[in-house]
Amino acid sequence: MSYRIEKDTLGDVKVPADKYWGAQTERSRNNFPIGDPASMPKEIIEAFGYLKKAAAITNHKLGVLAEEKKDLICKVCDEIINHELDDQFPLVIWQTGSGTQSNMNVNEVVANRAHVLEGNKLGEGERTIHPNDDVNKSQSSNDTFPTAMHIAAYKMLVEQTIPALESLRNALEEKSKEMDEVVKIGRTHWMDATPLTLGQEFSGYVSQIDHGLNAINNSLSHLSELALGGTAVGTGLNTPKGYAEEVAFNIAELTGYDFVTAENKFESLAAHDAIVESHNSLKQVAVSIMKIANDLRMLASGPRSGIGEIIIPANEPGSSIMPGKVNPTQIEAITMVAAQVMGNDVAIGVGGSNGHFELNVFKPMMVANFLQSARLLADAVNSFVERLVIGIKPNNERIQELLNNSLMLVTALNTKIGYEKAAKIAKTAFAEGTTLKESALKLGFLTEDEFDQWVDPSKMIGK
């Protein structure tokens, strides 16, 4: 491999000759050989493309950046936004906690790529665009990285996670309507309880997803606030007047989303409560999904030796040794995702609680976990809907068998003959292996007509 020499304030550094990055990026590559190479999320790099372009436009409008420099910076930023330069961002998540090296990675790539776009060769001649003085003008890593965090998180939620959850919510609601008349036995404490319909059971799942969606949507307003303009500690040192408001406006224009400048830049740099809050809503969804998916796992269990009240799609063979076995693999996948999201929430909470003085230095880890959660939920939910939920069918024969055999139908007799006599009917039926009706008639607590009139599951579902 051939190299060229790049310089920074610490001296000369050898950089791969065909790469656009510079000295600070190469130092970071050498200093942090931790985890997978190039693990910094591409969504963060894309967000940097938006904010660097917006900064150049703003700096030009406010009279501190020449038009030719603005145009060059914008041209390279468009390539970054379109993921044409993804191989130029080799840094890992596990670097400086402010994300400074990733900010400089972008600055160096923009400056060197602009140099080439002007018809020059890398490492030869004087660059028109300087990574610090021009690409990073009116900025600090301390306000650019949290801005990138918010842009990336907001876009991921709006473009991927929310649509997936809306699809799940709608699919569950459709199933709830389809099965609204299917009366089945309820269960509490893993024991038989009073009847309800499958539709009612599924309506609870719909409500859970609704609440999760509301929480995510409510968190977007906090995520829409951008730190850019705070520079090093939140004071806005080295920015022209009106920069913070104008650059947020330009980011909103470029992305099509309602980003605004943060009211308090000190909070935006020193804490990441918006990330903590928004991810907490993702954790809430993960908790709901874990409950819903496990319910479906158990309702579909069997097919002959379990509950077996619903039938789920058979997507692939389930065993390498047991012929004909089919497993609830979509459920297993999505519950693993839910567990990962819950774990990510712990890490994000720890990171958010450790912002010391004027700067939180857990930024890369926090946003990487956030984006992983949002992406995993979107992907898993889409697969879950397509390959499981829309194919769920009631197993009517099994539902009727379990319903008719349940002792908890005796609850309907509480208001007719009293709790004590009703309990005696159930206990006698259980002990003697008879039906409730046989037990009630044997004990002489009511007539056959009264039993048939009062113990009717279809009248016990609250409709």
Side-chain angles (χ1 to χ4, degrees):
M1 177 182 289
S2 59
Y3 294 88
R4 71 177 191 277
I5 299 298
E6 288 271 347
K7 300 178 183 290
D8 63 11
T9 56
L10 292 182
D12 295 348
V13 179
K14 289 171 59 177
V15 176
D18 61 340
K19 299 301 183 183
Y20 290 122
W21 67 71
Q24 292 197 45
T25 303
E26 189 66 18
R27 288 189 193 280
S28 184
R29 280 216 309 159
N30 295 333
N31 288 335
F32 300 99
I34 304 172
D36 295 333
S39 60
M40 183 61 66
K42 297 305 180 188
E43 294 84 1
I44 287 292
I45 305 304
E46 178 186 321
F48 264 109
Y50 282 114
L51 75 88
K52 294 292 179 182
K53 182 176 182 178
I57 293 169
T58 303
N59 283 324
H60 172 64
K61 180 177 180 179
L62 298 179
V64 295
L65 185 69
E67 183 171 7
E68 67 176 53
K69 292 187 175 185
K70 180 262 292 183
D71 290 343
L72 278 169
I73 292 171
C74 288
K75 187 175 292 187
V76 181
C77 286
D78 285 338
E79 293 182 345
I80 293 173
I81 292 166
N82 293 326
H83 296 274
E84 296 170 20
L85 301 174
D86 281 357
D87 61 344
Q88 301 299 320
F89 302 98
L91 301 189
V92 298
I93 299 163
W94 317 106
Q95 52 167 284
T96 174
S98 61
T100 296
Q101 285 123 17
S102 281
N103 179 47
M104 283 308 304
N105 185 186
V106 176
N107 291 336
E108 291 173 343
V109 168
V110 172
N112 284 326
R113 174 62 178 160
H115 186 65
V116 171
L117 287 176
E118 287 189 294
N120 303 302
K121 291 185 177 180
L122 278 173
E124 296 182 7
E126 187 175 346
R127 291 177 301 199
T128 301
I129 304 295
H130 190 280
N132 297 80
D133 296 338
D134 298 317
V135 187
N136 202 63
K137 183 178 287 292
S138 307
Q139 302 154 61
S140 161
S141 299
N142 296 352
D143 68 350
T144 60
F145 201 90
T147 297
M149 290 169 69
H150 279 216
I151 294 171
Y154 191 105
K155 281 173 58 59
M156 179 72 78
L157 291 180
V158 170
E159 295 174 4
Q160 296 190 42
T161 314
I162 292 174
L165 290 171
E166 288 174 340
S167 174
L168 174 59
R169 184 243 178 244
N170 293 339
L172 289 170
E173 184 177 48
E174 184 63 29
K175 288 297 167 184
S176 177
K177 291 176 180 177
E178 285 179 16
M179 301 184 295
D180 191 45
E181 302 301 321
V182 181
V183 181
K184 63 177 291 271
I185 197 64
R187 295 177 182 86
T188 61
H189 305 271
W190 262 97
M191 307 297 282
D192 295 355
T194 55
L196 75 168
T197 71
L198 259 178
Q200 289 172 322
E201 198 163 36
F202 272 63
S203 75
Y205 307 151
V206 175
S207 185
Q208 282 187 277
I209 301 302
D210 271 338
H211 288 308
L213 278 166
N214 287 339
I216 294 172
N217 282 308
N218 289 338
S219 74
L220 289 176
S221 62
H222 200 177
L223 273 183
S224 70
E225 298 180 9
L226 304 181
L228 207 56
T231 63
V233 298
T235 61
L237 180 67
N238 290 349
T239 60
K241 186 177 181 179
Y243 173 84
E245 292 76 14
E246 182 67 21
V247 78
F249 172 82
N250 286 322
I251 290 173
E253 287 287 298
L254 293 172
T255 61
Y257 297 116
D258 296 329
F259 290 112
V260 296
T261 191
E263 183 177 349
N264 190 301
K265 303 298 189 298
F266 305 102
E267 186 263 353
S268 299
L269 274 61
H272 292 306
D273 292 349
I275 293 291
V276 174
E277 173 193 1
S278 297
H279 194 274
N280 188 259
S281 67
L282 295 182
K283 182 194 73 174
Q284 177 183 334
V285 168
V287 169
S288 296
I289 284 174
M290 183 71 83
K291 195 274 185 205
I292 293 166
N294 277 332
D295 275 10
L296 298 180
R297 186 201 309 264
M298 292 178 282
L299 289 173
S301 62
R304 293 187 174 179
S305 298
I307 294 175
E309 290 182 338
I310 62 172
I311 300 168
I312 60 175
N315 294 320
E316 65 272 313
S319 173
S320 61
I321 189 173
M322 293 175 280
K325 195 173 195 301
V326 176
N327 294 328
T329 51
Q330 289 295 316
I331 291 170
E332 291 164 6
I334 203 169
T335 51
M336 285 191 286
V337 165
Q340 183 65 56
V341 173
M342 294 179 206
N344 286 349
D345 196 66
V346 174
I348 287 173
V350 171
S353 69
N354 275 280
H356 304 136
F357 302 115
E358 278 63 62
L359 188 68
N360 175 286
V361 289
F362 285 73
K363 300 182 194 300
M365 178 276 289
M366 292 180 71
V367 74
N369 278 3
F370 186 104
L371 293 172
Q372 185 194 46
S373 292
R375 186 187 309 109
L376 282 175
L377 280 173
D379 291 348
V381 164
N382 282 330
S383 182
F384 189 65
V385 170
E386 179 184 348
R387 296 174 178 85
L388 186 132
V389 176
I390 62 176
I392 290 174
K393 297 177 181 178
N395 185 350
N396 292 304
E397 184 177 343
R398 178 64 170 163
I399 288 171
Q400 200 62 39
E401 175 190 351
L402 294 176
L403 178 65
N404 292 338
N405 199 40
S406 173
L407 298 177
M408 288 305 100
L409 297 181
V410 78
T411 307
L413 297 177
N414 282 1
T415 59
K416 306 297 183 182
I417 63 175
Y419 183 94
E420 298 294 339
K421 288 182 178 180
K424 190 169 184 179
I425 291 173
K427 290 179 179 180
T428 301
F430 180 72
E432 298 180 358
T434 61
T435 66
L436 286 175
K437 186 174 183 179
E438 289 169 337
S439 175
L441 296 179
K442 176 182 177 181
L443 292 169
F445 291 156
L446 68 168
T447 67
E448 183 173 359
D449 287 343
E450 288 173 331
F451 186 92
D452 291 340
Q453 180 182 350
W454 295 337
V455 186
D456 181 350
S458 66
K459 297 177 181 178
M460 301 169 65
I461 57 175
K463 291 188 177 184

